[in-house]
Amino acid sequence: MEGTGSVCIIGSGPTGLYAADEIRRLAPGVTVDVVDRLPTPYGLVRGGVAPDHQKTKSVVRQFEPLFTAHGVRFIGNVSVGEDVELAELRRLYDAVVIAVGAAGDRKLGVPGEDLPGVYGSAGFVGWYNGHPDYAHMRPRIPGPRVAVVGNGNVALDVARILALTPGEMAATDLARPAAEAIAATPLTDIYLLGRRGPLEAQFTSAELREMGELAAAHPVVHPGDLPDAVPDDIDPRDARRLKRNLEILRGFADLPPPPPGEDRVRIHFLFRHAPRAILGNARDGVTALLVERTQVAGGTVRATGATTSLAVGTVVTCIGYRATPFRGLPLDEERGVIANAEGVVEPGLYVAGWARHGPRGVITANRASARDAAAMAVEHLAAHGENRPGGPALEALLASRGYRTVAFADWQRIDEAERAAAAQGRPREKFIRVADMLAVIEAADATTSCAAGGAAAAAEAPPA
């Protein structure tokens, strides 16, 4: 299908770019603009993937040609719901695809959750990844003990990043303020806890294995917490992962304790432990986490009444995310997603990725819903498209309001400056404030303008 018309994709993370790629494949004649509220593209890859997982971040290489060779435009530094309304985008474009992810944290729902020293993973991960939304954060990590609540890969990421040595940090793009704060914190113990058991944990084997490969950390697992085998009635695909995970956990359980005098951060895997209260006060912050031992039977978690207190100064919750829609979008409160029916918010307005179905899977797991949204947008254009003006009209509207949009070429200048500023061995030194990113672009614009002015003056000068 050739097709014409215009589509606006809100959100430049992997889901949005998978959708853009699919639209280009299905309908090469359709104009595709990707709008993002930050001056930087790639969403979760830049702001969510762990800074020591540079191989995972390399997925951006497959997206770059969209902007450099295939005609998709990046329009950054545009906040939908503030700089421009969703209703205005719908008037300017024939179809709109929402791919904004899920940036809000689910709550534990226990007393003390609002104490200083308690952080959701969205903010904590954003802080150590240098996301501008969290540039102001100064997390309270007094040490020597931290609790990380959750039994998924995000919880593993948080625990691992806190356990990195300065030498390990040197090869990452960990934000400098976070690297300095973590290096200065004298941690001895990290408690990684979940209310279910190891068979219910959502760790991938590769991430779990990394916990035993850290330079100065020692994973601690109680053998009695591990089942003898994976039950036969588990789905074969899950069973393979769980068997590998049990092997890794048994290896951790068999590790001898570190030699006396060797400083290692102990990472305690506390399965079947549910948070019941966070203790402390507004002045001193968190002082302890009260946890209750649980039982899991028939998929149901049951309380045992046996509680213990972990003396920690920081609690990071990694128990899932919720969509935080901008003005004009309906929210399904129960599921924590943008209200939709199989990706359709209403005709001409579609949603994909975490904002559609909640957080799950690795980056590529969002490709299916992105393709669904792209196909529905193209079908809508074929039946109802009016060849609306799209990007040029949007940029004119924003310019009339005094907003400075950021093109992909502008992002490339930011990218170049970050790489140039990095110490040897580091992939980049991230700018963590939007103002600093825009300053790079403005400086480059000024240099280009001066160079052009000098060339014009030389061309007009009379011969000697």
Side-chain angles (χ1 to χ4, degrees):
M1 181 190 299
E2 277 294 325
T4 58
S6 58
V7 177
C8 176
I9 297 174
I10 304 174
S12 67
T15 298
L17 299 185
Y18 284 137
D21 188 43
E22 184 70 358
I23 292 169
R24 295 293 300 164
R25 187 184 71 82
L26 293 174
V30 170
T31 299
V32 182
D33 294 332
V34 178
V35 172
D36 200 288
R37 66 188 183 87
L38 294 179
T40 55
Y42 307 130
L44 185 68
V45 178
R46 179 177 170 93
V49 172
D52 58 338
H53 283 179
Q54 292 299 309
K55 184 176 180 181
T56 303
K57 289 176 181 279
S58 67
V59 70
V60 301
R61 294 174 189 159
Q62 79 180 66
F63 296 131
E64 287 174 354
L66 281 172
F67 299 113
T68 57
H70 300 313
V72 175
R73 292 201 315 161
F74 176 69
I75 306 177
N77 200 39
V78 177
S79 181
V80 178
E82 296 181 15
D83 302 339
V84 63
E85 296 295 335
L86 176 61
E88 292 176 310
L89 291 178
R90 298 199 66 192
R91 287 195 293 269
L92 295 175
Y93 290 87
D94 292 293
V96 175
V97 175
I98 310 295
V100 294
D105 285 298
R106 292 188 179 274
K107 295 292 187 179
L108 277 175
V110 302
E113 192 165 11
D114 296 327
L115 284 173
V118 182
Y119 305 97
S121 55
F124 201 81
V125 170
W127 167 67
Y128 67 58
N129 265 317
H131 193 293
D133 285 356
Y134 306 102
H136 66 282
M137 275 185 62
R138 299 292 184 272
R140 296 171 64 131
I141 318 175
R145 291 170 292 272
V146 171
V148 180
V149 182
N151 268 181
N153 280 350
V154 175
L156 288 180
D157 284 345
V158 170
R160 189 182 66 255
I161 294 301
L162 286 171
L164 293 180
T165 64
E168 289 169 316
M169 294 179 193
T172 76
D173 63 356
L174 187 66
R176 183 174 293 280
E180 292 172 349
I182 293 169
T185 301
L187 288 182
T188 60
D189 297 89
I190 298 171
Y191 299 99
L192 186 64
L193 61 122
R195 63 195 188 100
R196 296 180 182 271
L199 292 180
E200 292 80 26
Q202 295 300 305
F203 308 138
T204 58
S205 301
E207 290 239 6
L208 184 58
R209 188 175 293 110
E210 285 181 302
M211 304 303 283
E213 298 170 350
L214 297 170
H218 178 78
V220 179
V221 175
H222 297 289
D225 285 342
L226 304 178
D228 294 331
V230 175
D232 295 333
D233 59 352
I234 289 182
D235 183 280
R237 291 169 297 183
D238 288 333
R240 286 191 292 272
R241 175 183 63 86
L242 292 175
K243 287 176 182 177
R244 288 194 296 267
N245 284 359
L246 283 181
E247 290 173 2
I248 296 166
L249 290 169
R250 289 192 188 107
F252 293 166
D254 291 338
L255 288 172
E262 184 174 308
D263 290 334
R264 282 183 171 265
V265 180
R266 292 179 293 271
I267 302 176
H268 306 264
F269 286 80
L270 300 183
F271 297 108
R272 304 183 193 89
H273 282 78
R276 292 298 181 233
I278 301 170
L279 309 179
N281 56 66
R283 186 191 66 185
D284 301 320
V286 175
T287 57
L289 176 64
L290 182 68
V291 297
E292 180 180 18
R293 187 77 184 192
T294 64
Q295 294 176 339
V296 182
T300 301
V301 178
R302 297 174 180 167
T304 66
T307 61
T308 187
S309 181
L310 305 175
V312 299
T314 307
V315 176
V316 184
T317 64
C318 308
I319 57 171
Y321 300 103
R322 294 173 57 83
T324 53
F326 41 79
R327 190 165 51 241
L329 272 182
L331 178 67
D332 182 329
E333 292 284 355
E334 183 176 346
R335 294 193 298 150
V337 300
I338 293 170
N340 71 95
E342 300 298 322
V344 180
V345 180
E346 56 184 71
L349 181 62
Y350 309 98
V351 62
W354 285 12
R356 169 183 169 176
H357 49 61
R360 66 184 188 214
V362 295
I363 287 173
T364 53
N366 295 297
R367 185 180 289 154
S369 70
R371 288 176 171 171
D372 285 348
M376 290 186 288
V378 170
E379 289 173 7
H380 179 80
L381 263 64
H384 307 288
E386 302 174 7
N387 291 322
R388 295 178 183 177
L394 172 61
E395 291 187 316
L397 174 65
L398 291 167
S400 72
R401 295 173 178 173
Y403 294 120
R404 203 290 188 200
T405 60
V406 171
F408 192 75
D410 296 324
W411 149 246
Q412 289 177 311
R413 292 167 171 172
I414 297 170
D415 182 39
E416 183 181 353
E418 288 186 341
R419 293 180 185 278
Q424 185 173 3
R426 283 174 61 83
R428 66 177 65 242
E429 187 66 52
K430 283 183 177 178
F431 295 111
I432 65 174
R433 293 178 176 81
V434 169
D436 295 334
M437 300 176 192
L438 298 181
V440 170
I441 300 169
E442 290 164 5
D445 286 345
T447 301
T448 301
S449 177
C450 288
E460 294 173 1

